[in-house]
Amino acid sequence: MPTETSPWEEHFGSRENQSKAAQLGMWLFLGSEVLLFTNLFVGYGVYRYYYPEVFVEASKHLAAGWATVQTLLLVTSSLFVALAVHYIRQGRQFLTALVLLVAMGMGVGFLGIKGWEYWKHWTEGALPGEYYRLEDLPVQGGSLFFTLYFLLTGLHAVHMLVALGLLGWLVWGAVSGKYTAEYHIPVEVGGLYWHLVDVFWLFIYPLLYLVE
């Protein structure tokens, strides 16, 4: 049985088995997430096929420059998360917590930009469904684009919030000494989730903001 000072579970048979089980569980979960976003990407591809010109014009209403900043924030944050895994493998808990906090700050910056972008779309009427009010784009096609835009970016933002909570939990574990050079699998699997959320954005960014 685990104790307050030992996170290892005896029923796994060995520490290696416990680590592999945790990684397998996370990879299975990530696989289900990939399927979810893949369905949305396929749906986007179908509607873009039917409304290619409208999608190009609708994309011009998005803040591509700020989306590039968001992309840089996420890519850089992934580097810091990878650095956190490197540090915890060495048992350097303070540095692990520090770089995770930096990654969280970048994630918050990403969501802040997204919130500003949503507000901008709200004021100009670039909204999905019956709330669509853009006059320079046809409702059919334009409304679909912004429905997909809010669906993809909104779902991604929800995943970002979950990932931020996960990183916060890892920071607390590192600061409290829960994770060590011997036991750091939560940091590794948490990092995998953060990286996957970043990868989703690397698909969303060109699909929505760089339409030509």
Side-chain angles (χ1 to χ4, degrees), residues 113-123 127 149-155 157:
I113 294 173
K114 182 54 61 189
W116 167 80
E117 196 175 10
Y118 279 177
W119 175 82
K120 179 173 172 287
H121 296 322
W122 174 266
T123 58
L127 299 168
Y149 164 80
F150 279 102
L151 188 60
L152 284 167
T153 59
L155 186 61

Short mmCIF file of all heavy atoms in Angstrom, two decimals, residues 113-123 127 149-155 157:
data_model
loop_
_atom_site.label_atom_id
_atom_site.label_comp_id
_atom_site.label_asym_id
_atom_site.label_seq_id
_atom_site.Cartn_x
_atom_site.Cartn_y
_atom_site.Cartn_z
N ILE A 113 -5.62 36.85 -25.16
CA ILE A 113 -5.76 37.29 -26.55
C ILE A 113 -7.04 36.72 -27.16
O ILE A 113 -7.77 37.40 -27.88
CB ILE A 113 -4.53 36.86 -27.38
CG1 ILE A 113 -3.29 37.59 -26.88
CG2 ILE A 113 -4.75 37.13 -28.86
CD1 ILE A 113 -1.99 37.11 -27.51
N LYS A 114 -7.31 35.45 -26.85
CA LYS A 114 -8.53 34.83 -27.39
C LYS A 114 -9.79 35.54 -26.88
O LYS A 114 -10.74 35.75 -27.62
CB LYS A 114 -8.55 33.34 -27.00
CG LYS A 114 -9.75 32.56 -27.54
CD LYS A 114 -9.89 32.72 -29.03
CE LYS A 114 -8.67 32.19 -29.79
NZ LYS A 114 -8.73 32.55 -31.24
N GLY A 115 -9.77 35.92 -25.60
CA GLY A 115 -10.93 36.64 -25.05
C GLY A 115 -11.14 37.97 -25.74
O GLY A 115 -12.28 38.35 -26.06
N TRP A 116 -10.03 38.68 -25.99
CA TRP A 116 -10.14 39.96 -26.71
C TRP A 116 -10.68 39.73 -28.13
O TRP A 116 -11.51 40.50 -28.62
CB TRP A 116 -8.75 40.61 -26.79
CG TRP A 116 -8.71 41.77 -27.75
CD1 TRP A 116 -9.15 43.04 -27.54
CD2 TRP A 116 -8.26 41.72 -29.12
NE1 TRP A 116 -8.99 43.80 -28.67
CE2 TRP A 116 -8.44 43.02 -29.66
CE3 TRP A 116 -7.72 40.72 -29.92
CZ2 TRP A 116 -8.08 43.33 -30.97
CZ3 TRP A 116 -7.37 41.03 -31.22
CH2 TRP A 116 -7.54 42.32 -31.73
N GLU A 117 -10.22 38.67 -28.75
CA GLU A 117 -10.68 38.37 -30.11
C GLU A 117 -12.18 38.05 -30.13
O GLU A 117 -12.90 38.49 -31.04
CB GLU A 117 -9.89 37.19 -30.68
CG GLU A 117 -9.98 37.04 -32.19
CD GLU A 117 -9.09 35.93 -32.71
OE1 GLU A 117 -8.55 35.16 -31.89
OE2 GLU A 117 -8.95 35.83 -33.93
N TYR A 118 -12.63 37.30 -29.13
CA TYR A 118 -14.07 36.99 -29.04
C TYR A 118 -14.89 38.27 -28.87
O TYR A 118 -15.96 38.43 -29.46
CB TYR A 118 -14.33 36.05 -27.87
CG TYR A 118 -14.03 34.59 -28.15
CD1 TYR A 118 -14.16 33.63 -27.15
CD2 TYR A 118 -13.63 34.15 -29.40
CE1 TYR A 118 -13.89 32.29 -27.39
CE2 TYR A 118 -13.36 32.83 -29.66
CZ TYR A 118 -13.49 31.90 -28.65
OH TYR A 118 -13.23 30.57 -28.90
N TRP A 119 -14.40 39.17 -28.03
CA TRP A 119 -15.11 40.43 -27.81
C TRP A 119 -15.20 41.22 -29.12
O TRP A 119 -16.25 41.80 -29.44
CB TRP A 119 -14.38 41.26 -26.75
CG TRP A 119 -14.98 42.62 -26.57
CD1 TRP A 119 -16.08 42.97 -25.82
CD2 TRP A 119 -14.52 43.84 -27.18
NE1 TRP A 119 -16.33 44.31 -25.93
CE2 TRP A 119 -15.40 44.87 -26.75
CE3 TRP A 119 -13.46 44.15 -28.03
CZ2 TRP A 119 -15.23 46.19 -27.15
CZ3 TRP A 119 -13.31 45.47 -28.44
CH2 TRP A 119 -14.18 46.47 -28.00
N LYS A 120 -14.10 41.23 -29.88
CA LYS A 120 -14.08 41.93 -31.17
C LYS A 120 -15.12 41.32 -32.12
O LYS A 120 -15.85 42.06 -32.81
CB LYS A 120 -12.68 41.83 -31.77
CG LYS A 120 -12.49 42.49 -33.13
CD LYS A 120 -11.03 42.48 -33.53
CE LYS A 120 -10.84 42.96 -34.96
NZ LYS A 120 -11.28 41.97 -35.95
N HIS A 121 -15.21 40.01 -32.19
CA HIS A 121 -16.19 39.36 -33.06
C HIS A 121 -17.62 39.67 -32.60
O HIS A 121 -18.52 39.83 -33.41
CB HIS A 121 -15.97 37.85 -33.05
CG HIS A 121 -14.65 37.43 -33.62
ND1 HIS A 121 -14.07 38.05 -34.70
CD2 HIS A 121 -13.77 36.46 -33.25
CE1 HIS A 121 -12.91 37.49 -34.98
NE2 HIS A 121 -12.71 36.53 -34.10
N TRP A 122 -17.79 39.76 -31.29
CA TRP A 122 -19.11 40.06 -30.76
C TRP A 122 -19.58 41.44 -31.20
O TRP A 122 -20.73 41.64 -31.59
CB TRP A 122 -19.09 39.96 -29.23
CG TRP A 122 -20.38 40.39 -28.59
CD1 TRP A 122 -20.69 41.63 -28.11
CD2 TRP A 122 -21.55 39.58 -28.39
NE1 TRP A 122 -21.96 41.65 -27.61
CE2 TRP A 122 -22.51 40.41 -27.77
CE3 TRP A 122 -21.84 38.25 -28.66
CZ2 TRP A 122 -23.77 39.93 -27.43
CZ3 TRP A 122 -23.10 37.78 -28.31
CH2 TRP A 122 -24.04 38.62 -27.71
N THR A 123 -18.66 42.41 -31.14
CA THR A 123 -19.04 43.78 -31.48
C THR A 123 -19.32 43.95 -32.96
O THR A 123 -20.15 44.78 -33.35
CB THR A 123 -17.92 44.77 -31.07
OG1 THR A 123 -16.70 44.39 -31.71
CG2 THR A 123 -17.75 44.77 -29.56
N LEU A 127 -20.56 36.23 -35.65
CA LEU A 127 -21.01 35.22 -34.69
C LEU A 127 -21.68 34.06 -35.42
O LEU A 127 -22.09 34.19 -36.57
CB LEU A 127 -21.98 35.86 -33.69
CG LEU A 127 -21.40 37.00 -32.85
CD1 LEU A 127 -22.50 37.74 -32.13
CD2 LEU A 127 -20.36 36.46 -31.88
N TYR A 149 -15.43 28.26 -36.41
CA TYR A 149 -14.39 29.02 -35.71
C TYR A 149 -14.60 28.97 -34.20
O TYR A 149 -13.69 28.64 -33.43
CB TYR A 149 -14.40 30.48 -36.20
CG TYR A 149 -13.66 31.43 -35.29
CD1 TYR A 149 -12.27 31.53 -35.34
CD2 TYR A 149 -14.35 32.22 -34.37
CE1 TYR A 149 -11.59 32.39 -34.51
CE2 TYR A 149 -13.69 33.08 -33.53
CZ TYR A 149 -12.31 33.16 -33.60
OH TYR A 149 -11.63 34.02 -32.76
N PHE A 150 -15.83 29.28 -33.76
CA PHE A 150 -16.09 29.27 -32.32
C PHE A 150 -16.07 27.85 -31.75
O PHE A 150 -15.69 27.65 -30.60
CB PHE A 150 -17.43 29.96 -32.04
CG PHE A 150 -17.33 31.46 -32.01
CD1 PHE A 150 -17.75 32.21 -33.09
CD2 PHE A 150 -16.81 32.11 -30.91
CE1 PHE A 150 -17.65 33.59 -33.08
CE2 PHE A 150 -16.70 33.49 -30.88
CZ PHE A 150 -17.13 34.25 -31.97
N LEU A 151 -16.50 26.89 -32.55
CA LEU A 151 -16.48 25.51 -32.07
C LEU A 151 -15.04 25.03 -31.85
O LEU A 151 -14.72 24.47 -30.79
CB LEU A 151 -17.20 24.60 -33.09
CG LEU A 151 -17.43 23.15 -32.67
CD1 LEU A 151 -18.28 23.09 -31.41
CD2 LEU A 151 -18.11 22.38 -33.81
N LEU A 152 -14.20 25.26 -32.85
CA LEU A 152 -12.80 24.80 -32.76
C LEU A 152 -12.02 25.57 -31.70
O LEU A 152 -11.37 24.97 -30.84
CB LEU A 152 -12.11 24.93 -34.12
CG LEU A 152 -12.48 23.89 -35.16
CD1 LEU A 152 -11.98 24.29 -36.54
CD2 LEU A 152 -11.88 22.53 -34.78
N THR A 153 -12.09 26.90 -31.77
CA THR A 153 -11.30 27.69 -30.81
C THR A 153 -11.89 27.60 -29.40
O THR A 153 -11.15 27.64 -28.42
CB THR A 153 -11.23 29.17 -31.26
OG1 THR A 153 -12.55 29.72 -31.34
CG2 THR A 153 -10.53 29.29 -32.60
N GLY A 154 -13.22 27.51 -29.30
CA GLY A 154 -13.84 27.40 -27.98
C GLY A 154 -13.48 26.08 -27.31
O GLY A 154 -13.14 26.05 -26.12
N LEU A 155 -13.57 24.99 -28.08
CA LEU A 155 -13.20 23.69 -27.53
C LEU A 155 -11.72 23.66 -27.15
O LEU A 155 -11.34 23.11 -26.11
CB LEU A 155 -13.50 22.59 -28.55
CG LEU A 155 -13.31 21.15 -28.07
CD1 LEU A 155 -14.24 20.85 -26.90
CD2 LEU A 155 -13.58 20.16 -29.21
N ALA A 157 -9.99 26.28 -26.25
CA ALA A 157 -9.84 27.11 -25.05
C ALA A 157 -10.22 26.33 -23.79
O ALA A 157 -9.58 26.48 -22.75
CB ALA A 157 -10.69 28.37 -25.18
#
